[in-house]
Amino acid sequence: MTSLNFPKTGHGRDSILLFPTSCFQSKPFLPSSKGYRYSSGLIVRTQTLIYASSLSNGRTKIKGPREIQFVAKAQPVAVELVEGKLRDPQTSGDAIRQRFLDFYAARGHKVLPSASLVPDDPTVLLTIAGMLQFKPIFLGKVPREVPSAATSQKCIRTNDIENVGRTSRHQTFFEMLGNFSFGDYFKKEAIKWAWELSTSEYGLPADRLWISVYEDDDETFALWHDELGIPKERIKRLGEDDNFWTSGVTGPCGPCSELYYDFHPERGTSDVDLGDDTRFIEFYNLVFMQYNKKDDGSLEPLKQKNIDTGLGLERMARILQKVPNNYETDLIFPILEKAAELANVSYALAGDSTKTKLKIIGDHMRAVVYLISDGVNPSNIGRGYVVRRLIRRVVRTGRLLGVKGDGMGDLQGAFLPILAKKVIELSTNIDADVKTRSSRILEELRREELRFVLTLERGEKLLEQMLADALLNIQGTETAPCLSGKDAFILYDTYGFPVEITKEVAEERGISIDMNSFDIEMEKQRQLSQAAHDTVKLAVENGANHAEDIPDTEFLGYNTLHSKAVVEGLLVNGSPVTQVSKGGEVEILLNRTPFYAESGGQIGDNGFLYMMEAENGQKAIVEIKDVQKSMGNIFVHKGTITEGTIEVGREVEAAVDANLRQRAKVHHTATHLLQSALKRVIGQETSQAGSMVAFDRLRFDFNFHRSLQDKELEEIEGLINQWIGDGTILETKVMSLTDAKGAGAVAMFGEKYGEQVRVVEVPGVSMELCGGTHVSNTAEIRGFKIISEQGIASGIRRIEAVAGDAFIEYVLTRDNYMKQLCSTLKVKAEEVTGRVDGLLEELRLTRNEVSAARAKAAIYKASTLASRAFTIGTSKSIRLLVEFMDDIDADSLKSAAEYLVDSLKDPAAVVLGSCPGEGKVSLVVALTPGVVNLGIKAGEVIKPLAKSCGGGGGGRPNFAQAGGRKPENLLGALEEAREQLKNLLEK
């Protein structure tokens, strides 16, 4: 035996090299490469020697140092060392995922990529289940492309957000491993494979697995017990709430069976509750989609029985990695460690409260990184609000942990990007696109965090105001001060201010919080969240029952604008009919059509359907105003019967409005050119976030953090018009999705693609996956003009532009406006700017003169009021003046107050109010230093005054202004202010 030369590179400080125990000898010593660890079991490391435990049993405690030697032929295996424990690489999160996919691929399943977190489904806000991308197949509205599939689907659920970090299993972002059968196999195979995967592939002990089945599902019970030999005592029958899956009030449904892992088998089999989180975790759910629930609640067998399963990756990792919760798996724990480092705490030594906060950060950071990567940026509505809410929760949780600035010394910096880098590092096998989008993700998080820090500071100021109100409201009573739960919730929900901090600050002032009403507000929000996120609606719109037997519409519109077709169905107000007469609004389903249905941002075609009557030759004419897709690929032509009667089963001539189609084609190709121009001018990281292609204009939304400069817009326009002038012939081809991505084709935002895709290329300029209609040559676009650029949400910009005929019309209209302006100003076009600048300067000077005149008038009027001031106070030396000044504007009222407070000398207090216009109130409070020194502040005086008048305001201790909307309350409010000040000044 000889000593082994160990590698100097290739393993990190958190890895060891594991050798078979037979390779060890315990006599000669072995020098260690510093920083590396070698063992067959538990080890300790010194600077020069490796000391190993018993060589035959890795679980034996170290009894003493042993100098060891390896057989030179031994083959090392890298093993991660986590908290002093060896971790088998086959139990890593990445390995578990791959083993699942490989397992089902070997059994005939097509492995498909994860769908976006932004679903192609209007009934669901975010992708919440692996089955969502297969919904049209389950409904039978889209033919299956493969008989069975397997996926690892990114998912987001926020209905249990308050449980994140508090339980061992609740997460907002998670991966759902799933195997799906579209009429290919059913219960027997699904159950057999689930058991084989769990016990043989993953090696879970059979005696630790429990099964739940639907209470009436004897077939499933028998498969588990008779076929696989699961003891009856470990198979639990549960009711409809637990083990019968429904898609909604009506639609596909069926019983389900779930697999549970038992962490404490020593507790026995009597009185077992599978819902006991301290003992069990459900890790695999098998849904047997075999019924259709009808309107009356009855069940009828589906023609095609399907399988929909879900295995939680994080849950399986927790089991196999033998950690106490999902957060301490290698899928999430590195993020927790980085957060702990920034907070200068040790996760291992932290208390439960600190660990909970670190778990919240680890979970939410995964969610926001993947959401932003999929095109969802923070905003106040829809999906954007989910991202914003999660980001705010991370920021405020980090502050509670004591993270300041970026956590690394820059107090003005942001710490979210540092955590996001760790998420991105872990993303390779989850979503490879995350790394390519990393710079945009990091910048978006940085901006949102810094913006929210300012919001938090505003929340602190609002809290101060709320606490002052709480104290003010109990003056003269014996009631204890209390902050309303509604106010605390506003701070929490709108300003992201943690209720824990609110309570702490309030208690310092001797103020309690009405937590009951706070909990009520929280429950309202939670119910709204659950309603929005908790179900996948498998319902069919546009006359679903009627559409069941109608095949997909054959689209002919790429090659022709006219075709014959057969009327397959008619719908009026969503109900099927056999005929519709003149004047009726109708939705028409054809077997084939040249009409483009709205998708990919391009609106549907307009045109006509013509039907000849066989007997008298009378025509039926339908004017088509819109075309939409329903249930996958059924085209719904929406129109009005302008002549005759149209019937199901009759042949029609379909004719698309060629002029409008050309306008749409021009604008759609222009959006492709626009995206390429944007990438060249402002950077490749920008990406599409939405689009609209209409007949009169185009709209293009994209990710960017600032408004575009004029010179950038000019450069973009210049590039596009240059490409138009080049007269480049477009190339369109159909290829596999893999080949298209390999060729560099860009996917359109929000679109879902099959195995075969259509690629539209402007050679040398752009290549995109797109099903829309396009010009054949860029010269057809004729011209391009940006008409606006603006922000529509945080980090999202929008460009509107015109091209083709709409471009010509826009230029002609603007030219007419210019001619009219030149005529009015009596100058040439090139002189308009100078003339307008001159007029604006004249207007400014005139306004200044008017304002000065008004101020003088107000001061003169104020001088006549000075005599009305009266003296109060113990020394009768404080002068007080509270007056109404008719219709004086706000600026003039300010000048009058300043004049009066100077005229009356110190100490003096002046309160003035006026009604400068209909429904308007102006208020001013001015105090001299002598009054301010008595502890009276102008802002505190004006606040109740403004509130009485339906407004608000503020200012400095010696001067405050406010406005209002209730002039009818002004005189009474001034009288109250007079009495308030008298009481304060006479003390």
Side-chain angles (χ1 to χ4, degrees):
M1 295 185 183
T2 58
S3 297
L4 184 66
N5 293 322
F6 294 97
K8 297 291 184 181
T9 60
H11 299 280
R13 295 180 64 87
D14 291 328
S15 297
I16 69 170
L17 291 179
L18 181 66
F19 286 79
T21 55
S22 60
C23 299
F24 284 87
Q25 292 230 339
S26 59
K27 292 184 180 179
F29 84 94
L30 172 71
S32 166
S33 297
K34 183 178 178 181
Y36 299 103
R37 315 167 199 185
Y38 309 91
S39 179
S40 66
L42 294 176
I43 56 92
V44 295
R45 175 171 59 85
T46 69
Q47 295 294 324
T48 58
L49 294 178
I50 293 294
Y51 299 110
S53 66
S54 167
L55 303 182
S56 61
N57 188 339
R59 292 195 280 284
T60 303
K61 292 181 180 180
I62 295 176
K63 299 177 180 178
R66 297 191 182 188
E67 299 168 346
I68 60 175
Q69 177 183 357
F70 295 89
V71 177
K73 294 180 180 179
Q75 295 298 315
V77 179
V79 177
E80 186 181 3
L81 186 70
V82 179
E83 295 184 349
K85 299 177 183 178
L86 298 179
R87 179 170 291 170
D88 184 345
Q90 287 298 299
T91 68
S92 71
D94 287 341
I96 295 168
R97 183 193 305 108
Q98 193 60 50
R99 290 168 71 185
F100 178 93
L101 297 175
D102 290 344
F103 179 90
Y104 281 103
R107 288 154 181 78
H109 292 63
K110 176 71 173 178
V111 176
L112 298 175
S114 171
S116 168
L117 288 171
V118 180
D120 185 23
D121 186 326
T123 70
V124 184
L125 192 67
L126 293 165
T127 297
I128 62 174
M131 57 76 63
L132 195 59
Q133 65 172 303
F134 305 117
K135 172 179 169 180
I137 301 175
F138 287 138
L139 288 169
K141 300 308 171 187
V142 172
R144 69 181 193 181
E145 295 183 5
V146 294
S148 56
T151 65
S152 178
Q153 176 62 54
K154 301 175 297 183
C155 298
I156 292 281
R157 292 183 187 173
T158 59
N159 49 300
D160 287 318
I161 191 171
E162 297 303 326
N163 287 323
V164 170
R166 302 183 186 280
T167 71
S168 63
R169 60 182 177 84
H170 282 99
Q171 298 161 249
T172 55
F173 176 87
F174 58 94
E175 285 185 80
M176 186 66 79
L177 306 175
N179 55 290
F180 307 91
S181 168
F182 314 117
D184 183 40
Y185 62 84
F186 201 48
K187 288 184 181 180
K188 184 174 182 178
E189 294 84 354
I191 289 172
K192 173 188 173 184
W193 288 335
W195 184 255
E196 186 179 344
L197 174 77
S198 301
T199 57
S200 297
E201 177 63 35
Y202 289 142
L204 300 182
D207 58 359
R208 283 196 174 217
L209 300 186
W210 289 65
I211 310 297
S212 71
V213 300
Y214 180 51
E215 55 191 356
D216 295 335
D217 192 356
D218 295 332
E219 178 187 3
T220 298
F221 189 99
L223 286 170
W224 284 115
H225 177 60
D226 299 335
E227 296 284 335
L228 294 174
I230 312 300
K232 290 182 179 180
E233 60 269 21
R234 293 214 312 275
I235 306 175
K236 293 294 181 181
R237 293 181 183 266
L238 300 178
E240 185 172 346
D241 289 344
D242 295 300
N243 277 65
F244 194 90
W245 181 85
T246 60
S247 61
V249 178
T250 61
C253 59
C256 57
S257 183
E258 297 168 331
L259 283 74
Y260 293 79
Y261 184 81
D262 185 357
F263 292 107
H264 296 286
E266 72 278 2
R267 296 182 185 177
T269 58
S270 61
D271 299 324
V272 167
D273 176 12
L274 292 178
D276 181 0
D277 282 352
T278 67
R279 177 172 179 179
F280 296 101
I281 186 170
E282 176 215 330
F283 65 88
Y284 206 171
N285 185 16
L286 316 178
V287 175
F288 310 124
M289 205 179 296
Q290 65 188 92
Y291 300 115
N292 177 51
K293 181 182 283 189
K294 299 196 293 187
D295 291 333
D296 62 2
S298 62
L299 302 177
E300 62 179 4
L302 289 173
K303 297 176 183 177
Q304 173 181 292
K305 295 180 179 180
N306 304 307
I307 289 293
D308 161 27
T309 79
L311 185 151
L313 174 60
E314 292 82 2
R315 296 185 181 194
M316 181 56 74
R318 171 192 173 188
I319 296 169
L320 294 180
Q321 294 175 15
K322 296 180 172 59
V323 292
N325 54 67
N326 295 1
Y327 307 98
E328 294 184 38
T329 66
D330 66 341
L331 295 163
I332 309 176
F333 191 69
I335 312 167
L336 271 64
E337 285 188 306
K338 176 56 70 173
E341 178 186 329
L342 296 180
N344 197 28
V345 298
S346 165
Y347 182 86
L349 301 177
D352 289 343
S353 176
T354 296
K355 284 186 175 180
T356 296
K357 292 179 177 65
L358 291 170
K359 291 172 185 176
I360 290 171
I361 291 174
D363 169 80
H364 289 6
M365 283 306 302
R366 292 212 304 167
V368 298
V369 165
Y370 287 102
L371 281 166
I372 294 173
S373 176
D374 278 355
V376 184
N377 285 334
S379 70
N380 288 328
I381 59 173
R383 300 179 181 106
Y385 178 69
V386 174
V387 178
R388 174 158 287 170
R389 182 184 177 198
L390 293 174
I391 287 175
R392 290 181 170 187
R393 209 159 185 253
V394 175
V395 173
R396 66 176 179 251
T397 302
R399 287 167 70 98
L400 284 173
L401 284 171
V403 179
K404 294 180 174 61
D406 69 352
M408 302 180 72
D410 182 2
L411 297 181
Q412 304 304 314
F415 72 93
L416 296 192
I418 296 172
L419 295 175
K421 288 179 182 178
K422 179 60 68 174
V423 180
I424 293 168
E425 179 185 318
L426 298 169
S427 71
T428 302
N429 296 304
I430 303 173
D431 183 351
D433 290 333
V434 173
K435 287 189 177 179
T436 64
R437 300 165 182 161
S438 60
S439 60
R440 176 170 61 84
I441 295 169
L442 298 177
E443 179 59 24
E444 189 63 44
L445 288 170
R446 186 191 69 82
R447 284 198 306 272
E448 184 68 13
E449 178 181 348
L450 295 181
R451 183 185 299 115
F452 180 51
V453 167
L454 296 177
T455 304
L456 269 176
E457 292 171 356
R458 289 197 295 270
E460 291 169 349
K461 294 178 181 178
L462 180 59
L463 173 59
E464 288 295 325
Q465 184 176 322
M466 289 177 172
L467 295 177
D469 287 346
L471 291 170
L472 185 64
N473 291 337
I474 63 157
Q475 285 186 359
T477 72
E478 296 182 359
T479 306
C482 180
L483 183 67
S484 75
K486 191 168 185 178
D487 281 347
F489 182 76
I490 289 172
L491 285 166
Y492 168 80
D493 192 50
T494 304
Y495 293 90
F497 209 75
V499 70
E500 296 92 343
I501 292 182
T502 301
K503 289 173 66 175
E504 183 180 330
V505 175
E507 287 171 359
E508 289 175 358
R509 313 290 176 81
I511 301 172
S512 62
I513 297 179
D514 183 357
M515 291 304 298
N516 288 333
S517 59
F518 177 84
D519 291 340
I520 290 172
E521 296 296 328
M522 284 290 292
E523 183 59 29
K524 288 179 183 177
Q525 185 196 63
R526 187 177 293 111
Q527 290 173 359
L528 289 173
S529 177
Q530 287 175 336
H533 305 295
D534 202 27
T535 60
V536 178
K537 183 183 178 186
L538 282 180
V540 186
E541 322 302 333
N542 298 319
N545 295 332
H546 181 63
E548 284 182 358
D549 299 321
I550 294 177
D552 288 348
T553 310
E554 180 185 1
F555 178 59
L556 309 172
Y558 291 135
N559 302 313
T560 182
L561 298 183
H562 299 81
S563 71
K564 294 186 181 300
V566 175
V567 178
E568 297 281 359
L570 297 172
L571 300 170
V572 175
N573 296 325
S575 300
V577 296
T578 57
Q579 65 178 31
V580 185
S581 299
K582 182 178 179 179
E585 300 290 328
V586 65
E587 296 180 343
I588 303 172
L589 312 180
L590 303 176
N591 66 330
R592 58 211 306 258
T593 183
F595 284 83
Y596 183 84
E598 181 174 335
S599 62
Q602 180 176 334
I603 66 172
D605 282 329
N606 288 188
F608 291 89
L609 299 181
Y610 302 95
M611 186 180 77
M612 294 294 294
E613 291 290 348
E615 296 180 0
N616 55 20
Q618 180 187 358
K619 279 186 177 180
I621 301 176
V622 185
E623 184 178 5
I624 301 299
K625 289 296 187 182
D626 188 22
V627 185
Q628 297 286 330
K629 284 186 181 180
S630 176
M631 296 315 304
N633 239 6
I634 297 175
F635 286 35
V636 181
H637 304 72
K638 301 183 178 184
T640 304
I641 312 296
T642 61
E643 188 175 330
T645 300
I646 193 166
E647 299 176 355
V648 173
R650 297 299 300 275
E651 186 176 74
V652 296
E653 178 75 26
V656 174
D657 186 317
N659 177 54
L660 294 181
R661 165 66 78 83
Q662 181 65 17
R663 283 172 168 260
K665 287 164 60 176
V666 161
H667 282 130
H668 204 151
T669 304
T671 62
H672 287 212
L673 300 182
L674 175 56
Q675 176 156 232
S676 291
L678 281 166
K679 287 180 177 292
R680 296 193 187 194
V681 173
I682 64 175
Q684 290 296 320
E685 280 301 314
T686 189
S687 61
Q688 182 182 347
S691 69
M692 187 272 290
V693 176
F695 305 131
D696 61 339
R697 70 191 188 282
L698 68 86
R699 188 178 70 210
F700 189 84
D701 300 340
F702 58 100
N703 299 299
F704 204 55
H705 60 279
R706 60 168 173 82
S707 60
L708 271 62
Q709 301 170 6
D710 289 342
K711 64 179 182 179
E712 291 172 326
L713 293 173
E714 290 173 6
E715 186 177 354
I716 290 166
E717 280 185 351
L719 273 173
I720 294 171
N721 283 308
Q722 176 188 322
W723 294 330
I724 292 170
D726 289 342
T728 303
I729 297 174
L730 275 71
E731 297 177 4
T732 303
K733 61 189 76 172
V734 176
M735 61 178 72
S736 72
L737 179 60
T738 301
D739 290 344
K741 288 186 174 180
V746 177
M748 299 292 280
F749 177 84
E751 285 295 287
K752 185 178 179 181
Y753 301 98
E755 286 293 301
Q756 295 294 308
V757 294
R758 185 169 181 265
V759 178
V760 177
E761 181 179 9
V762 182
V765 177
S766 77
M767 179 189 291
E768 298 191 15
L769 307 182
C770 183
T773 62
H774 290 271
V775 299
S776 58
N777 188 306
T778 58
E780 293 178 44
I781 301 175
R782 301 166 67 191
F784 176 90
K785 180 66 181 175
I786 294 174
I787 58 178
S788 70
E789 189 275 337
Q790 60 184 329
I792 59 169
S794 175
I796 302 291
R797 309 296 301 176
R798 170 172 291 172
I799 283 178
E800 292 201 15
V802 288
D805 285 351
F807 164 76
I808 302 299
E809 292 163 1
Y810 177 81
V811 171
L812 290 175
T813 300
R814 302 278 284 198
D815 186 56
N816 285 332
Y817 290 150
M818 178 59 75
K819 288 177 179 177
Q820 293 173 21
L821 189 59
C822 290
S823 176
T824 300
L825 297 176
K826 295 181 173 53
V827 295
K828 297 178 181 179
E830 58 269 25
E831 298 171 350
V832 166
T833 302
R835 179 63 177 137
V836 170
D837 286 343
L839 289 173
L840 289 175
E841 179 62 17
E842 291 177 19
L843 181 61
R844 186 185 65 81
L845 293 173
T846 301
R847 283 178 173 172
N848 287 343
E849 291 174 0
V850 171
S851 179
R854 285 177 176 171
K856 287 180 180 179
I859 290 171
Y860 174 76
K861 188 169 186 178
S863 66
T864 65
L865 297 176
S867 60
R868 299 185 186 180
F870 57 93
T871 58
I872 56 174
T874 53
S875 63
K876 298 295 183 180
S877 62
I878 303 174
R879 282 164 289 282
L880 174 62
L881 179 64
V882 181
E883 291 293 334
F884 172 63
M885 293 192 67
D886 300 322
D887 58 353
I888 300 297
D889 65 86
D891 288 340
S892 300
L893 197 68
K894 177 184 176 183
S895 298
E898 290 171 342
Y899 168 81
L900 285 168
V901 85
D902 287 340
S903 300
L904 294 175
K905 307 299 182 184
D906 192 21
V910 174
V911 180
L912 301 177
S914 68
C915 298
E918 186 176 351
K920 293 182 179 180
V921 172
S922 289
L923 298 163
V924 174
V925 174
L927 308 175
T928 63
V931 175
V932 173
N933 291 338
L934 295 176
I936 301 172
K937 297 180 180 179
E940 294 177 354
V941 174
I942 208 168
K943 184 179 176 182
L945 182 59
K947 189 174 181 180
S948 297
C949 295
R956 305 183 304 276
N958 66 318
F959 193 90
Q961 282 187 281
R965 300 179 301 278
K966 297 179 179 180
E968 65 273 16
N969 295 345
L970 178 56
L971 294 178
L974 288 173
E975 186 60 36
E976 290 178 8
R978 179 183 288 109
E979 293 303 313
Q980 176 191 358
L981 279 169
K982 283 175 62 178
N983 292 334
L984 290 172
L985 295 172
E986 286 178 346
K987 290 182 179 179

